[in-house]
Amino acid sequence: MQPDSVWQAVLGEIEVSLSRGNFVTYLKNTTLEKQEDGLVVVGVTNPFIMQHIEKKYSDLLIATLRGQGVKVDRLEFKVISSARRPAEVNDTDETPQLVTRASGSGENENLEAGQISYRTPSSSFKQSLNERYTFDNFVVGDGNDVAFAACQAVAQLPGAKYNPLYLYGGVGIGKTHLIQAVGNALQARNPDAKILYIATEQFVREFVQALRNRTAATFANSYRSADVLIVDDVQFLAGKDKIQEEFFHTFNTLHQANKQIIMSSDKPPRDIAMLEDRLKSRFAGGMSIDMQVPDFETRCAIIQTKAESHNSELDPEVVEYLASNGQTNIRELEGALNQLLAWCDVRGLTPTVAIASSLLQVNKGRPKHLSAKQIIERTAKYYQVPLEDMVGPKRDKDIVVPRQVAMYMLHEELHLSYPKIARELGRKDHTTAMHSVRKITKESQINTDLRGAITEIKEHLYA
Ligand code: ADP
Ligand code: MG
């Protein structure tokens, strides 16, 4: 490999393991100046950055370089003038390397690598569809009917009308189910079609692995030869430049060949922060559909259908109780139902509202295991602010918002009183806590980034 592509591979790998801010600030604009007899010289743009990289990232750089097969006995840094930075020459210039190689520009090494790994680990490039997700067992109602209709249309005539098809909405409302149902319907009609389903996190992992194993061409070809490409949770492309570049070319190749692309996300393309504009416009260039939590009647129908699939019959009262009781999405609803059925099954009891309610109460008790300290720490960690600043006097915006989110979480998860919340965050005045909780409650209804942040913090807390 050329020194530059070695370095691009190193950066690509490091990019996914560091926070976005750290990567951009310290490493994005570095270059590989020299690589000779075990000496590696890295070019950086200013002395301050150099010091920091040397202290914080030397080990990581050495390990990653070695992972790329580079001999490193000594790592040195050198300040170079910023005029020479590749990023300033032309930001889009970096990646065509990958692309040219991917399109088979005659580099034997890559073609061979491609052929070999096609046989052996090619299955790692393919995450198969789950047969459980079909149109037949999807209950249609208010909230998901438009998405359902669009998915059926695509399954009828892929690559024609809605390309790409992009479904978005909160967690557990049936996005994965629907996009896989399209894949399953198409595969059933045409068993030879190459229908690829991939979760974005998996795509990212494979991309990094392909860079490491120098099988980027195989990786690219594998996706670009799909007849239908289904990509779940594309919001996880956010902030990963190299992967976005790769995905952009994959998208174009398929789209130009009228191959159907289906995506899901937790928000509309325009709201995905740190996603390249050209991807946003591609994603929004077909059909985007907002999915909602299904309404009460639909939720009842879903519970009934799921109970039947377990060969259980539920009292309408119990169904309504489950459908109305705080479960904010279908996955949770399903979880509550399964728990109820299992509990009753083991004891030979018929499910009742009383049993259901006592089981759900137990669930609600779950946050008790959390302490206020854990919540504040986790929030601080998410926003990458020091804990002492969270509870300290600073009032800068980058501290105030995390602090408000922490207050909101204490309110939501621990049901603490406002004075107590204020004290936990080193505030004297309980009205501060009250205003913060109200503000975040209100804003999280309209700001998808904020909602995403809260969900992620919660997921970590309960993981
Ligand atoms: P998402 O991808 O939006 O997070 P999923 O597609 O994974 O949600 O759905 C969560 C669970 O709820 C799955 O088991 C799915 O089968 C089920 N589900 C969601 N909506 C429906 C529906 N309308 N009918 C039947 N099952 C549903
Ligand atoms: Mg999903």
Side-chain angles (χ1 to χ4, degrees):
M1 259 205 279
Q2 295 299 307
D4 199 42
S5 40
V6 170
W7 196 242
Q8 291 311 321
V10 167
L11 292 182
E13 201 176 321
I14 290 179
E15 181 177 3
V16 290
S17 66
L18 289 186
S19 83
R20 175 76 192 155
N22 284 340
F23 179 75
V24 172
T25 313
Y26 298 111
L27 293 164
K28 184 163 184 245
N29 291 325
T30 54
T31 46
L32 185 57
E33 292 298 306
K34 194 168 171 186
Q35 174 199 343
E36 212 175 76
D37 295 329
L39 168 69
V40 172
V41 180
V42 175
V44 293
T45 49
N46 77 46
F48 161 71
I49 286 185
M50 184 170 88
Q51 264 181 9
H52 189 89
I53 298 180
E54 198 162 8
K55 209 163 92 202
K56 285 263 167 112
Y57 299 121
S58 286
D59 291 347
L60 178 64
L61 285 169
I62 291 172
T64 315
L65 277 160
R66 287 185 181 150
Q68 290 291 334
V70 177
K71 181 164 176 272
V72 198
D73 301 319
R74 218 149 33 98
L75 183 65
E76 284 180 9
F77 299 91
K78 183 174 145 199
V79 177
I80 53 163
S81 79
S82 60
R84 283 185 45 226
R85 280 190 286 159
E88 295 193 5
V89 181
N90 184 346
D91 224 345
T92 52
D93 247 345
E94 306 172 290
T95 353
Q97 289 168 354
L98 223 191
V99 179
T100 353
R101 291 197 287 114
S103 55
S105 64
E107 275 188 45
N108 275 337
E109 181 201 312
N110 284 299
L111 281 179
E112 269 168 37
Q115 271 148 16
I116 294 161
S117 53
Y118 234 87
R119 295 201 176 283
T120 33
S122 86
S123 56
S124 75
F125 282 145
K126 190 171 172 182
Q127 215 185 353
S128 50
L129 293 159
N130 184 337
E131 287 168 6
R132 181 167 96 81
Y133 297 124
T134 63
F135 286 130
D136 284 345
N137 63 15
F138 191 85
V139 179
V140 188
D142 242 21
N144 64 28
D145 49 353
V146 182
F148 183 82
C151 284
Q152 285 217 309
V154 165
Q156 287 302 318
L157 215 53
K161 220 164 145 194
Y162 305 138
N163 203 14
L165 176 63
Y166 184 105
L167 304 187
Y168 67 91
V171 292
I173 56 171
K175 301 183 298 295
T176 298
H177 188 134
L178 272 184
I179 60 180
Q180 291 219 23
V182 180
N184 280 320
L186 286 166
Q187 194 80 79
R189 255 208 334 269
N190 186 354
D192 294 330
K194 186 170 176 189
I195 297 173
L196 290 186
Y197 167 84
I198 182 102
T200 299
E201 297 103 309
Q202 176 78 10
F203 186 82
V204 170
R205 274 197 299 276
E206 285 183 8
F207 179 67
V208 172
Q209 204 183 357
L211 286 178
R212 190 182 301 145
N213 301 340
R214 311 202 185 152
T215 51
T218 319
F219 174 81
N221 286 335
S222 161
Y223 286 101
R224 289 174 204 184
S225 61
D227 295 309
V228 175
L229 179 64
I230 306 173
V231 189
D232 213 348
D233 292 317
V234 292
Q235 72 272 13
F236 293 123
L237 290 172
K240 304 191 174 81
D241 290 353
K242 292 209 166 14
I243 288 153
Q244 287 184 24
E245 172 87 29
E246 173 66 26
F247 193 70
F248 177 74
H249 292 288
T250 301
F251 185 102
N252 283 348
T253 306
L254 292 173
H255 197 258
Q256 276 156 19
N258 292 326
K259 305 293 174 140
Q260 180 70 46
I261 300 162
I262 306 169
M263 291 176 281
S264 86
S265 171
D266 65 348
K267 39 177 113 55
R270 64 172 182 280
D271 288 352
I272 304 182
M274 295 190 292
L275 180 70
E276 289 179 25
D277 285 342
R278 57 183 188 168
L279 277 177
K280 285 186 187 173
S281 72
R282 294 285 188 297
F283 287 4
M287 177 75 153
S288 303
I289 296 168
D290 183 3
M291 284 181 77
Q292 308 279 347
V293 179
D295 64 355
F296 177 71
E297 277 77 26
T298 313
R299 294 204 299 276
C300 289
I302 292 173
I303 294 167
Q304 215 125 33
T305 321
K306 303 254 170 197
E308 277 164 25
S309 74
H310 286 95
N311 294 322
S312 305
E313 235 178 81
L314 282 185
D315 237 25
E317 265 184 5
V318 177
V319 173
E320 285 170 20
Y321 177 81
L322 288 174
S324 62
N325 238 273
Q327 270 67 43
T328 50
N329 69 52
I330 306 304
R331 187 176 296 125
E332 285 180 8
L333 208 62
E334 225 181 325
L337 171 70
N338 289 342
Q339 204 185 352
L340 175 65
L341 293 179
W343 201 90
C344 292
D345 194 38
V346 172
R347 293 166 181 78
L349 298 171
T350 306
T352 61
V353 172
I355 298 174
S357 100
S358 69
L359 284 175
L360 293 181
Q361 286 311 317
V362 173
N363 282 347
K364 285 195 180 130
R366 193 177 54 160
K368 274 188 210 134
H369 305 300
L370 284 178
S371 68
K373 187 157 170 275
Q374 279 172 304
I375 289 180
I376 298 169
E377 276 174 1
R378 183 38 79 179
T379 312
K381 193 157 174 207
Y382 176 85
Y383 285 104
Q384 301 188 343
V385 301
L387 187 59
E388 58 272 21
D389 285 349
M390 285 286 268
V391 297
K394 277 197 192 161
R395 302 196 46 83
D396 324 19
K397 187 155 185 273
D398 12 339
I399 306 284
V400 168
V401 172
R403 193 183 287 141
Q404 289 175 334
V405 170
M407 290 182 173
Y408 167 86
M409 300 286 287
L410 292 177
H411 180 261
E412 288 290 297
E413 302 301 307
L414 299 189
H415 311 288
L416 297 187
S417 67
Y418 291 123
K420 181 106 178 49
I421 292 175
R423 271 203 303 283
E424 291 290 348
L425 284 141
R427 271 46 227 161
K428 289 202 185 76
D429 186 357
H430 78 278
T431 56
T432 314
M434 200 163 74
H435 291 309
S436 299
V437 171
R438 288 202 185 134
K439 178 173 167 249
I440 298 296
T441 308
K442 209 162 142 197
E443 203 171 316
S444 64
Q445 281 158 12
I446 46 172
N447 179 336
T448 48
D449 279 342
L450 180 61
R451 200 158 59 217
I454 293 169
T455 311
E456 203 175 316
I457 295 168
K458 272 194 211 167
E459 274 167 7
H460 278 293
L461 282 170
Y462 293 114

